[in-house]
Amino acid sequence: MLYITQLIYIIKGQESVFQEFEDIAIPIIAKYNGRLLLRIRPSADCFIENSIEQPYEVHLVEFDNQDDFENFKLDEERKKFLHLKEQSIKTAILIQGSKL
């Protein structure tokens, strides 16, 4: 299994554009043997300690393998809407890992 954690930082005022992209991209995950395990929108009071900016959302996704994740990224339907992602996301940190 491959686990992807993503910290997502939104451009202020672009929350609805981001949601429009997510409405398209999230269902496509399953097409590539992936599962959205967590989608968290943390509030400031959720943090015990932090030395980085608070993300708008945190996603934890599981794919059966690296190829499935790569194929998800190359999905033609998803690629048609990447302009929404680019318009709404200031930056994202993607962390790949495996279960220990």
Side-chain angles (χ1 to χ4, degrees):
M1 291 294 169
L2 173 69
Y3 293 89
I4 306 294
T5 303
Q6 194 168 27
L7 308 177
I8 302 166
Y9 299 90
I10 298 296
I11 297 169
K12 191 170 180 77
Q14 296 296 309
E15 294 83 0
S16 63
V17 175
F18 173 70
Q19 186 59 52
E20 188 178 347
F21 176 73
E22 292 293 271
D23 289 344
I24 295 159
I26 288 175
I28 295 172
I29 293 170
K31 185 175 165 184
Y32 297 97
N33 303 310
R35 289 153 298 284
L36 177 64
L37 303 177
L38 293 171
R39 183 178 178 197
I40 303 167
R41 193 171 292 160
S43 59
D45 63 336
C46 292
F47 291 84
I48 297 167
E49 184 176 332
N50 62 301
S51 60
I52 63 171
E53 179 185 355
Q54 173 186 324
Y56 178 75
E57 279 192 5
V58 178
H59 295 181
L60 176 61
V61 180
E62 173 186 65
F63 286 93
D64 285 352
N65 55 57
Q66 183 73 39
D67 287 340
D68 289 334
F69 177 51
E70 296 302 326
N71 290 331
F72 164 73
K73 293 190 300 185
L74 296 173
D75 182 85
E76 290 302 321
E77 184 67 19
R78 180 180 168 275
K79 285 168 53 176
K80 289 180 195 174
F81 296 95
L82 284 178
H83 66 280
L84 298 173
K85 180 180 177 184
E86 293 163 1
Q87 179 182 332
S88 62
I89 295 179
K90 175 173 52 171
T91 190
I93 299 172
L94 189 133
I95 304 158
Q96 285 188 226
S98 57
K99 192 172 187 177
L100 299 176

